[in-house]
Amino acid sequence: MTKENKMQHIINSAQTCLDCKKPRCQTGCPVGTPIAEMIRLFLSGDIKEAGEKVFENNPLSIICSLVCPHEKHCEGHCILNKKSVPVNVGGIENYISTYYMNYREFEKPTPNGRNLAIIGSGPAGISLAMMMAMKGYHVTIYEGNEQIGGVLRYGIPDFRLDKTILDKIEVNLKKLGVKIRKNIMIGKHITLDDMQRDGFDAIFIGTGVWAPKKLGIKGESLGNVHFAIDYLKTPKAYELGKKVVVIGAGNVAMDVARTVIRNGANDVSIMYRKGEEDMPAEKIEKDHAKIDGVKFKLHSLPLELTEKGIRYITTNQEVNEECFEEADSILVAISQTARDLIVKNNTGLSLGENGLLQSDENGITARKGVFASGDVVTGARTVVEAVAFSKRVAISIEEFISNLPPKTVAI
């Protein structure tokens, strides 16, 4: 599709919007994107204003427009969805957000004298950094990898998200005065005590969920077995062979299976202990996996992993049958949890029974001046949910800092 054809397709879809007085699409969006207003401005020729309103509401709108489960949120709540085709909100928002990102010039605002440390540069950290930097806070991001983005860069395949968008966001953050310290794991050598000693008024933890959950069965340590979250970081570093089985049925499992196909495997299947109706992956993700050629081996419970494949038992019969599925490689994709490096080496924080960092609904942790949100608190969620949580945390941080005594300027 040419750029002109794409633009016409976007316009045609925008023109189907009914401009509802009480837009269900907006209430269905976790971050409350003003969709009807955005489309109204777009069609009236005010694309810059439309982009500004969307960006001010969600600094990661350009990313959410690409990776959000729109059929679950905005488009799923569109009134047209009942009898016809919903408005293509994702496509329209992406067109507007891309235009706006290329148009807007970011400049460092007047500093307000307050310092904020952000640990982790995933969607929660990036969105908070953008929001706070634009208000004049001196923000420093700490990232354990060599590039920013967290799950956006290392957990979402390239065919779903163009990573040059993250590079552009990094440039804009730096224009706002944000400092980015890469290749550093906060927790053991640099602690929260160190940060508070060095003048940070508040600390935010948004480190995501990078510790894979195990099956807990024999064979999980073998050389042909890999964890999905590790594979997605650097898929080209793996030689999986031609026949691959992915254990798990969430969105990550679908991403992994589709990535494996794009990297040379010709027989890729999803193994899941229940039926398709019980799979946690979004319907559109399952549909895309099927179109890409991924097979589904349902009602199959793994018992043991071997160098030749998987020994499993069927679960949809009165008499369960033990079977064997050959595989060159096996990828385990049954969810992730938070690493405990920061909690173990710093006082005042704790992990819940689910292995996630504990904070209240506004991101306030038990340690004074330390806040948290995103997947490290909620478990794996969507990007837009992480942004929504970070917006609440931004309010909490500002309230906390407003009650601190004024800073004295060193001579």
Side-chain angles (χ1 to χ4, degrees), residues 23 30 156 168 171 186 196 216 241 274 284 288 301 312 354:
I156 297 179
K168 178 66 173 176
V171 169
I186 300 299
Q196 290 176 325
K274 298 180 181 180
I284 193 169
H288 287 174
L301 178 65
Y312 68 96
N354 55 7

Side-chain angles (χ1 to χ4, degrees), residues 196-218:
Q196 290 176 325
R197 175 204 65 199
D198 292 342
F200 285 102
D201 299 292
I203 300 169
F204 171 78
I205 301 173
T207 48
V209 284
W210 293 100
K213 289 185 177 179
K214 299 194 302 181
L215 289 166
I217 62 177
K218 185 178 180 181

Side-chain angles (χ1 to χ4, degrees), residues 326-393:
E326 292 185 358
D328 296 319
S329 294
I330 302 161
L331 289 164
V332 179
I334 60 166
S335 190
Q336 305 89 236
T337 189
R339 295 187 180 123
D340 59 3
L341 183 64
I342 293 177
V343 174
K344 275 188 174 181
N345 295 284
N346 294 272
T347 60
L349 300 174
S350 61
L351 297 177
E353 292 182 2
N354 55 7
L356 300 172
L357 183 60
Q358 290 187 308
S359 76
D360 70 7
E361 66 276 9
N362 296 312
I364 301 171
T365 72
R367 177 164 173 155
K368 185 178 179 181
V370 178
F371 303 82
S373 79
D375 290 357
V376 71
V377 173
T378 63
R381 298 284 182 88
T382 61
V383 175
V384 72
E385 288 172 310
V387 175
F389 199 163
S390 289
K391 288 181 73 173
R392 298 202 302 272
V393 174

Side-chain angles (χ1 to χ4, degrees), residues 24 26 45 69 89 122 143 203 231 242 277 282 304 349 373 408:
R24 298 181 183 180
Q26 182 169 344
V89 177
E143 169 54 49
I203 300 169
Y231 171 76
K242 295 298 182 181
E277 66 280 1
E282 302 293 337
E304 180 185 355
L349 300 174
S373 79
T408 57

